[in-house]
């Protein structure tokens, strides 16, 4: 199958829905992820990228997300008392149709949904989306210092490929090494089966509920 860049579309899961993200979502995104603990792990270039006002966050977001080249998604709760609440963002991007490569990244969640079904189901939806569009390799990576994200990626069933040294600058001007993982189409059926079981098990606990801060 020839890889083709997907058109913007909503992806419906059991407990979440991924909607194409627009600049109109930025205020809700600010409320969800503009937290020091989110950026401390390396998101947005690390702690120095954190913005504590909507004005500052909006200016940062305008240059950070691949509004045109990628497919950024707003992640919303589906069902239950928190239905429709925006709890994070993720992007399918860095498309190379000739080599059949894509990249899931630019991912952050409201700390109130860390450890829930949200991340595994978001990855399941995006990986299904990528492989259905003919991509043969999907990369997922994290700052080498972000042990929590690295563990979460490995738990998905992704294969650790190695460390890319001095890969990109952090917001404070230091250089980040990136821990690179991938899932390829040949192993996707097996990885998918395990991920589907994991999502079903976590979803059985009930809807995602976002408690007030």
């Amino acid at each position: 199958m020839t890889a083709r860049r997907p058109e913007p579309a909503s992806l419906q899961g059991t407990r979440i829905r991924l909607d194409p993200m627009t600049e109109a979502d930025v205020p809700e995104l600010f409320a969800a992820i503009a937290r020091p603990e989110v950026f401390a792990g390396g998101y947005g270039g690390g702690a120095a990228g954190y913005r504590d006002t909507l004005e500052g966050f909006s200016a940062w977001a305008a240059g950070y997300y691949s509004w045109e080249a990628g497919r950024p998604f707003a992640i919303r709760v589906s069902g239950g008392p928190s239905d429709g609440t925006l709890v994070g963002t993720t992007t399918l991007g860095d498309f190379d149709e000739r080599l059949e490569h894509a990249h899931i990244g630019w991912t952050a969640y409201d700390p109130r949904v860390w450890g829930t079904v949200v991340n595994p189901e978001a990855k399941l939806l995006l990986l299904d989306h990528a492989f259905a569009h003919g991509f043969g390799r999907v990369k997922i990576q994290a700052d080498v210092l972000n042990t929590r994200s690295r563990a979460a990626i490995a738990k998905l069933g992704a294969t650790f490929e190695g460390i890319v040294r001095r890969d990109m600058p952090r917001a404070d001007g230091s250089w980040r090494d990136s821990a690179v993982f991938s899932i390829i189409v040949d192993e996707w059926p097996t990885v998918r089966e395990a991920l589907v079981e994991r999502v079903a098990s976590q979803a059985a606990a009930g809807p995602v509920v976002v408690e007030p801060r």
Side-chain angles (χ1 to χ4, degrees):
M1 180 187 296
T2 302
R4 62 193 190 282
R5 187 174 306 209
E7 295 298 321
S10 293
L11 307 177
Q12 181 65 54
T14 303
R15 298 300 183 193
I16 61 169
R17 185 182 72 250
L18 274 56
D19 291 328
M21 191 167 74
T22 69
E23 293 183 53
D25 293 315
V26 169
E28 286 182 273
L29 187 64
F30 171 73
I33 71 167
R35 313 290 298 178
E37 59 267 40
V38 172
F39 285 76
Y43 186 70
Y50 170 63
R51 302 290 185 270
D52 63 358
T53 66
L54 177 57
E55 182 181 13
F57 183 86
S58 297
W60 168 83
Y64 185 71
Y65 296 108
S66 301
W67 300 104
E68 300 298 330
R71 295 289 179 263
F73 291 91
I75 304 171
R76 296 183 180 275
V77 174
S78 183
S82 301
D83 184 59
T85 302
L86 194 156
V87 292
T89 182
T90 190
T91 295
L92 184 62
D94 286 348
F95 300 111
D96 186 327
E97 290 90 341
R98 184 181 67 85
L99 293 179
E100 300 179 354
H101 291 176
H103 173 198
I104 294 175
W106 304 271
T107 303
Y109 302 107
D110 188 318
R112 291 174 294 180
V113 301
W114 287 358
T116 70
V117 71
V118 172
N119 180 57
E121 184 155 47
K123 292 298 192 295
L124 175 60
L125 291 169
L126 283 183
L127 288 163
D128 264 343
H129 198 50
F131 290 122
H133 282 80
F135 289 93
R137 175 179 179 269
V138 179
K139 178 178 73 171
I140 312 174
Q141 64 184 22
D143 189 316
V144 72
L145 300 179
N146 191 339
T147 54
R148 184 181 60 82
S149 288
R150 290 178 63 179
I153 296 169
K155 192 174 180 180
L156 295 170
T159 296
F160 177 60
E161 294 185 339
I163 305 296
V164 178
R165 298 184 299 165
R166 208 174 192 271
D167 186 35
M168 60 183 72
R170 298 186 179 96
D172 64 3
S174 64
W175 282 87
R176 132 178 172 170
D177 294 346
S178 295
V180 179
F181 298 76
S182 72
I183 298 171
I184 62 174
V185 66
D186 310 74
E187 62 200 18
W188 176 230
T190 300
V191 173
R192 185 183 190 279
E193 183 178 3
L195 193 51
V196 166
E197 290 179 1
R198 179 181 167 195
V199 168
S201 177
Q202 289 184 277
V208 176
V209 177
V210 184
E211 300 291 346
R213 285 197 169 96

